[in-house]
């Protein structure tokens, strides 16, 4: 099994006709994801050519798309200033899994999205995230399918390309993945490390978990506590940003050291104290995982 | 985005907060004129995007217009933490009976804006938090209901025993919250919020940081940007849509993705080198970005090697290769180039580079090791 | 509080809603001038706080300034449902391709503001609700999040197939919601919202009702009150802080508390009489209120008896008795008085009245029966 | 037993030093209510002389009052434009019963108060209500104690003085009350008829219930449905406003006929259809109740 998505996932794409939305819809369809509909206000009634003979119906609103196509997940590629509204629209329409790829969403928007989505019982992943992939089953977002392979490892990360680097090493070493989840690099996001760890812990196929953190906030420390208290499966960590200076935003809005808890040193120490080995280099993740399978 | 103290104070004034009178000067003569207009003592304060300007000598009390002129003369010539001082705020000096701290930040743990107050003002709030945490009160604002009057009064009552002052503080806090929201801020603080001997409250220093993601929908706020107060290389990077932070080392880094960029810097350090910068070209593979990245990094005289680390996902590595080739063709590099490319269109990328006489690697560790070796004294590489 | 169409339209314009151009005139000459300025056909519309002004002849199309003058002349002389017309709106006539309804009310069942839209505009929305309910869409706005963009677009899409019109309607709906909140309204509607042959949306009629409880904190809205457009007795009652509604009967009623006032009217009817009014003096026992109440009721020539029904709780019945005595002393009544008092300080009240030659009863049924008997033709009382 | 309050109720008074607040605090103390504290911003640390030797401590905020006096209920007498904030302050401080007497609260304020109070699990009675009284035990609000008597009748009403009229008749006829609850005459209020009916249904001492409704809204119709579906105890009704014209607000902001459901005729019919006898005159309530005990 995989977590959050699987081969049965029926996906809606919000912003399907945009530059990113159209490109990645084709990528997802090519990977085998069941894309059931798209939303672009003003283009309702048209269809989107997703390649491989797939013609996907477009709707003006998520509400209409839900009535017609019964999606179980949605992925959002709309521009940053419209992304919060898109997330709330998806939650209001009752879609249980909302994956927001969009980068650059104002953080004050997210303070409102968070309770809105929560009250409606939906799970939000992102924003500013690469989405997730269950290798060989389905992909929702932008993680390149070619670097992944099916297998027993669960992976959760705050970053995009660093995830690809690690996944690439794992796949080449024969360590395939049940699911890779990018939770995003923003200060306020919908799904935290602990949510993913809980999902991997209860997924029978997942045998070990890789956690890729970075500077800023204390999500890794929360994860460390969770692993120590509640997890039986082995977890291996990597933390980016050991050389980052304090007070500067390292690309991701959330990757900024303010206070001791935000430093890589503190996070590495917290993980190690919880019994989680932390790789010095991305490639070292492979050996650490292998030693624990 | 940082804005200057004088700009933050203008915003607070617009929201009704009592702010110590002051005006900005870009020359010593202007500063003298402002001081003469106010009459009494003034404080001349460097307007610069750096903390610790007081310790650096950027804040001076001046009792006469002549003193103000001399202070401005001196401060306008200063460079604080690498940033030149282009303007000073000349503010009427306030009589101070007591100092409080009030501020609002976006807090990631509670996922809310948090209002923080402390009767121990005038000093760094993180120091207060560390030493006397019971002298700080924090209130996470429920974004669904906003900052409620009774909540503001609870905080005002925590700050002041006097009912009138507590009410005045509550009013200021709600005005500060309105200013915070309206500006799309991620931080807004008044430190100190001064009580005068007459019992009036007055904002004597103010700081606001704007969420970059808010600027597109707030052109008036975006217009407050003072590019002259930023490092030129960071201005150039922003204009090219690159995320760039200059550091002290000599290994220039060009990476796609923030996490991978940090991991690359860490690996440079791991192998005994020192990264010269953080630079993320983002997900797009626009060759112009690559060209701008090379130009910006090359302009740092400390840089002795440029390391590319590109993991092609959305980014097409052939586009990056084309950007590198174009850049090198237009302006030959004064430093060696180490290129690591893997992922989408990797084979095409390698061909493009080789045709231009450049070589590419596919392994991150090997590339970092080579870059470090190129700058290390012989025998010192790990 | 009701406001006039032209006032509601000014508010909507301020919030960015496209409104058919128009100006208010208080004389026929002014109306002619406005029509001349616009050039083409205009609609001359009575500005009066009463529904059904169209049916009453208060709305007329005028093709020339002279016609506008004649129409205004006629309408400004009208009385609609007892209310004199003091002003007309002279609005440019719009070309109409289709008509929609958009409105916002406070809904007690959902405890929220509810936005309602229907493509069947131009007619009474309650009629649409009764006959073709599927042509109305209702959206209760969560006050914690406000009216969200996607919600507005859902409603816009329900109204118009054209994407541009749907978006324009969504914008208008959110502007209407902002106007509704900012004015402290309990109702705001545009009916019809017209689509012109060119595809533009235009508010051709508008109505807003303001929550009286909002007026104290919204002086600009409170200033919109047009006392000349209300019945003089209701203006006098409001100024005395009484709640008063004139009815058609002849038994004047003065009661403390709204529920008891309604029950008193019902009991008058039960015993065969007809109440002349609803009047609640409220919880306070200020004698001035009692005096004003007697004056207002006495000024209605239909009234043939005044019935007091006071249940003293917070209200002190002796205060009420003092008010009655003072009123009667200053201006002897032309109609008989029936007084029922019970509760707080009842004995003192009875003494005060008896000393002034007035008698009091303590039983509500008995008092109502006596009041009805005093106005009934002999032998017709129940 | 009584409902919502009893002799153990520890009452806070918000606006204790105001004109109404001070008067009624003395009345409540005289009746035997345990008033434990008062709130008036700026007068914290002073005490309020409630007569009969009672000196009640005053606090600047509800939060402080709660910490010091552990109230189980609060009654609000603050001016209308501050009342919503006072209700929310009480709910935020964790007080489970909030009785808002204030008349003239803007209805848009109440749209925000309603979910706020609900989320915190508090019960709001009012605003624009006379409060409640458990005769011989406690009174919270402004219902005159002198007209009430202990006994087996539960009474719930949307009005003030009309309630007094009916209670007066009941008491004189020997029909005392377990509790009389005034839920208020505003279009949006915290506690509905059905909430009170449910409480009376499960109160062992209450043997019959009197429901006093009026024109406007459909709360009486909801109550009728509830009685028909869920109640075993006899209920007697009275509806004020049979002679009220449509479209005019009859004093109470909520007493306005708009639509058929708001008329007295419709309400009387709904109650009767649910088997609830409806009195023609206030005094007729007595006989209808007596016949059902």
């Amino acid at each position: 099994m995989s977590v959050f998505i699987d081969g049965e996932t029926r996906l809606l794409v919000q912003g399907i006709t945009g530059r990113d939305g159209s490109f990645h819809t084709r990528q997802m369809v090519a990977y085998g994801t069941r894309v059931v509909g798209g939303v672009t206000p003003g283009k309702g009634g048209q269809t989107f050519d997703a390649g491989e003979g797939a013609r996907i119906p477009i709707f003006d609103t998520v509400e209409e798309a839900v009535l017609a196509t019964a999606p179980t997940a949605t992925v959002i590629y709309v521009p940053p200033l419209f992304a919060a509204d898109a997330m709330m629209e998806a939650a209001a329409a009752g879609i249980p899994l909302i994956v927001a790829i969009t980068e650059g969403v104002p953080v004050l928007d997210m303070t409102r999205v968070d309770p809105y989505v929560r009250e409606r019982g939906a799970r939000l992943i992102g924003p500013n995230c690469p989405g997730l992939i269950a290798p060989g089953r389905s992909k929702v977002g932008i993680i390149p399918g070619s670097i992944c392979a099916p297998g027993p490892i669960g992976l959760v990360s705050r970053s995009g390309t660093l995830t690809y680097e690690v996944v690439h090493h794992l796949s080449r070493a024969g360590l395939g993945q049940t699911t890779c989840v990018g939770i995003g690099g923003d200060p306020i996001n919908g799904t935290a490390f602990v949510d993913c760890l809980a999902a991997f812990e209860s997924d029978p196929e997942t045998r070990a978990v890789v956690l890729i953190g970075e500077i800023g906030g204390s999500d890794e420390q929360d994860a460390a506590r969770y692993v120590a208290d509640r997890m039986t499966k082995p977890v291996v960590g990597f933390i980016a940003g050991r050389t980052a200076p304090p007070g500067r935003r390292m690309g991701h809005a959330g990757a900024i050291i303010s206070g001791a808890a935000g430093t890589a040193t503190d996070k590495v120490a917290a993980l190690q104290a919880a019994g989680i080995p932390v790789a010095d280099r991305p490639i070292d993740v492979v050996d650490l995982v292998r030693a624990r399978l | 985005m940082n804005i200057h103290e004088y700009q933050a104070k203008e915003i607070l004034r617009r929201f009704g907060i009592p702010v110590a009178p002051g005006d900005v000067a870009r020359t010593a003569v202007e500063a003298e004129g402002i001081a003469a207009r106010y009459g009494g003592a003034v404080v001349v304060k460097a307007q610069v995007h750096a903390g610790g300007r007081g310790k650096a000598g950027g804040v001076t009390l001046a009792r006469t217009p002549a003193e103000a002129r001399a202070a401005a003369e001196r401060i306008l010539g200063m460079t604080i933490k690498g940033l030149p001082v282009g303007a000073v705020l000349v503010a009427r000096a306030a009589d101070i009976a007591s100092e409080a701290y009030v501020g609002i930040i976006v807090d990631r743990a509670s996922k809310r804006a948090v209002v923080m107050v402390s009767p121990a003002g005038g000093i760094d709030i993180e120091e207060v938090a560390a030493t006397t945490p019971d002298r700080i009160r924090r209130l996470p604002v429920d974004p669904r209901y906003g900052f409620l009057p009774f909540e503001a009064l609870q905080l005002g009552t925590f700050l002041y025993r006097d009912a009138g002052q507590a009410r005045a503080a509550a009013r200021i806090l709600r005005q500060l919250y309105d200013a915070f929201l309206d500006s799309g801020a991620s931080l807004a603080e008044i430190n100190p919020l001064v009580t005068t001997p007459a019992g009036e409250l007055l904002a004597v220093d103010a700081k606001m940081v704007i969420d970059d993601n808010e600027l597109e929908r707030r052109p008036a706020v975006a217009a407050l940007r003072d590019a002259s107060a930023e490092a030129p290389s960071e201005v150039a990077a922003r204009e090219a849509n690159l995320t760039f932070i200059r550091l002290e080392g000599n290994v220039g880094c060009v990476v796609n993705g923030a996490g991978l960029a940090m991991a690359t810097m860490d690996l440079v350090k791991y192998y005994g080198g020192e990264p010269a910068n953080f630079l993320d070209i983002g997900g797009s593979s626009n060759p112009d970005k690559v060209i701008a990245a090379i130009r910006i990094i090359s302009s740092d005289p400390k840089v002795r090697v440029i390391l590319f680390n590109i993991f092609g996902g959305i980014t097409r590595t052939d586009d990056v290769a084309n950007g590198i080739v174009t850049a090198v063709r237009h302006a030959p590099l004064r430093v060696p180039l180490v290129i690591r490319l893997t992922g989408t269109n990797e084979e095409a990328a390698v061909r493009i580079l080789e045709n231009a006489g450049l070589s590419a690697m596919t392994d991150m560790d090997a590339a970092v090791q080579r870059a470090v070796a190129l700058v290390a004294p012989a025998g010192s590489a790990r």
Side-chain angles (χ1 to χ4, degrees), chain B residues 1-20 24 47 49 53 89 175-176 179-180 183 185 187-191 203-210 221 224:
Chain B
M1 180 182 90
N2 289 305
I3 63 173
H4 288 301
E5 174 192 2
Y6 80 91
Q7 295 170 319
K9 284 180 164 175
E10 273 164 26
I11 292 173
L12 300 190
R13 247 182 229 118
R14 194 152 42 76
F15 280 84
I17 295 176
V19 174
V24 72
Q47 299 298 288
H49 297 323
R53 61 187 174 162
L89 174 63
Q175 290 162 332
L176 184 65
F180 175 87
S183 311
L187 177 147
E189 60 182 25
I190 302 172
N191 188 21
V204 159
D205 198 353
K207 183 178 176 183
M208 286 181 81
V209 179
I210 310 299
V221 177
L224 297 178

Side-chain angles (χ1 to χ4, degrees), chain B residues 117-120 127-138 158:
Chain B
V117 303
S118 172
E127 203 180 307
V128 180
T131 55
T132 52
D134 59 315
R135 299 205 72 199
I136 295 183
R137 187 159 171 180
R138 296 159 46 90
F158 178 77

Side-chain angles (χ1 to χ4, degrees), chain A residues 1-7 133-135 137 178-179 199-200 203 205-206:
Chain A
M1 262 169 59
S2 45
V3 307
F4 305 142
I5 57 169
D6 60 26
I133 184 167
R137 290 162 169 147
T178 53
T179 318
F200 285 129
D203 169 40
E205 271 185 29
T206 300

Side-chain angles (χ1 to χ4, degrees), chain B residues 115-326:
Chain B
V115 185
M116 289 190 298
V117 303
S118 172
I123 52 173
D124 186 12
I125 191 66
E126 280 168 27
E127 203 180 307
V128 180
T131 55
T132 52
D134 59 315
R135 299 205 72 199
I136 295 183
R137 187 159 171 180
R138 296 159 46 90
L139 184 126
V141 176
D142 188 334
R144 302 171 308 161
Y145 295 98
F147 188 25
L148 298 168
F150 79 85
E151 295 175 326
L153 191 59
Q154 282 174 354
L155 298 181
T157 304
F158 178 77
L159 286 180
Y160 303 105
R161 291 200 61 82
D162 177 77
Q165 286 176 1
R167 256 194 291 268
R171 192 165 47 242
I172 289 170
L173 284 169
R174 296 185 71 212
Q175 290 162 332
L176 184 65
Y177 182 77
D178 290 343
F180 175 87
L181 279 195
D182 189 73
S183 311
S186 51
L187 177 147
E189 60 182 25
I190 302 172
N191 188 21
L193 176 66
V194 151
T195 314
T196 66
E200 307 283 321
L201 302 187
L202 198 62
V204 159
D205 198 353
K207 183 178 176 183
M208 286 181 81
V209 179
I210 310 299
D211 179 356
D212 291 345
N213 297 339
E214 295 273 3
L215 297 175
E216 191 186 330
R217 64 181 171 194
R218 303 184 197 278
V221 177
L224 297 178
R225 186 186 294 280
D226 177 6
S228 75
E230 299 172 60
S233 57
E234 293 186 9
V235 175
R238 193 180 57 247
E239 281 166 1
N241 260 312
L242 301 168
T243 312
F244 173 78
I245 293 167
R246 191 167 163 176
L247 302 170
E248 296 305 309
N250 53 14
V251 179
C253 303
V254 182
V255 190
N256 67 323
L260 189 59
M262 283 188 276
T264 304
M265 292 159 55
D266 294 352
L267 208 60
V268 166
K269 181 91 174 179
Y270 177 86
Y271 285 116
E274 286 293 341
N277 64 279
F278 169 97
L279 193 152
D280 174 12
I281 60 167
S284 140
S285 38
N286 185 339
D288 290 348
K289 279 194 170 183
V290 175
I291 297 168
I294 292 178
R295 199 182 57 237
I296 289 163
I297 292 183
S298 303
S299 71
D300 180 352
K302 292 195 307 299
V303 167
R304 291 179 48 210
V305 64
I306 298 178
L307 166 67
F308 272 77
N309 183 15
I310 305 299
F311 198 110
I314 323 169
T315 311
R316 290 173 50 177
T317 58
D318 53 337
D319 282 347
V320 175
N322 276 323
I324 296 172
V325 169
T326 308

Side-chain angles (χ1 to χ4, degrees), chain A residues 19 23-24 80-81 104-112 114-116 118-119 142 144 147 158-159 161-162 164-165 168-169 172 186-191 214-218 238-245 248-256 258-259 280-284, chain B residues 106-113 126 142-144 180-181 184-186 211-214 216-218 234 243-247 255-263 265-267 269-271 275 278 280 283-284 309 311-315 340 342-344 346 362-365 369:
Chain A
R19 202 181 52 116
F23 176 80
H24 289 290
L81 298 185
V105 182
V107 68
L108 288 173
D109 286 7
M110 289 309 301
T111 63
R112 286 160 44 83
D114 178 69
Y116 190 92
R118 202 174 297 276
E119 285 169 9
I142 65 175
I147 58 171
R158 276 170 68 184
S159 84
T161 47
L162 174 56
Y164 311 163
E165 182 80 33
H168 194 46
H169 288 309
R172 281 199 301 189
D186 274 4
I188 297 184
N189 54 19
T191 292
E214 64 188 26
I215 54 164
S218 55
F238 179 81
I239 302 290
R242 300 184 189 214
T243 51
R248 302 303 303 265
R249 169 182 155 169
M250 304 303 278
H252 287 166
I256 178 166
S258 51
D280 282 331
R281 304 174 301 170
I283 197 169
D284 294 335
Chain B
V106 177
D107 174 56
R108 35 209 297 173
S110 61
K111 302 189 177 184
R112 291 181 174 187
E126 280 168 27
D142 188 334
R144 302 171 308 161
F180 175 87
L181 279 195
S186 51
D211 179 356
D212 291 345
N213 297 339
E214 295 273 3
E216 191 186 330
R217 64 181 171 194
R218 303 184 197 278
E234 293 186 9
T243 312
F244 173 78
I245 293 167
R246 191 167 163 176
L247 302 170
V255 190
N256 67 323
L260 189 59
M262 283 188 276
M265 292 159 55
D266 294 352
L267 208 60
K269 181 91 174 179
Y270 177 86
Y271 285 116
F278 169 97
D280 174 12
S284 140
N309 183 15
F311 198 110
I314 323 169
T315 311
R340 184 269 180 139
T342 195
T344 312
E346 176 183 322
T362 57
D363 184 72
M364 177 171 165
D365 281 77
Q369 280 176 288

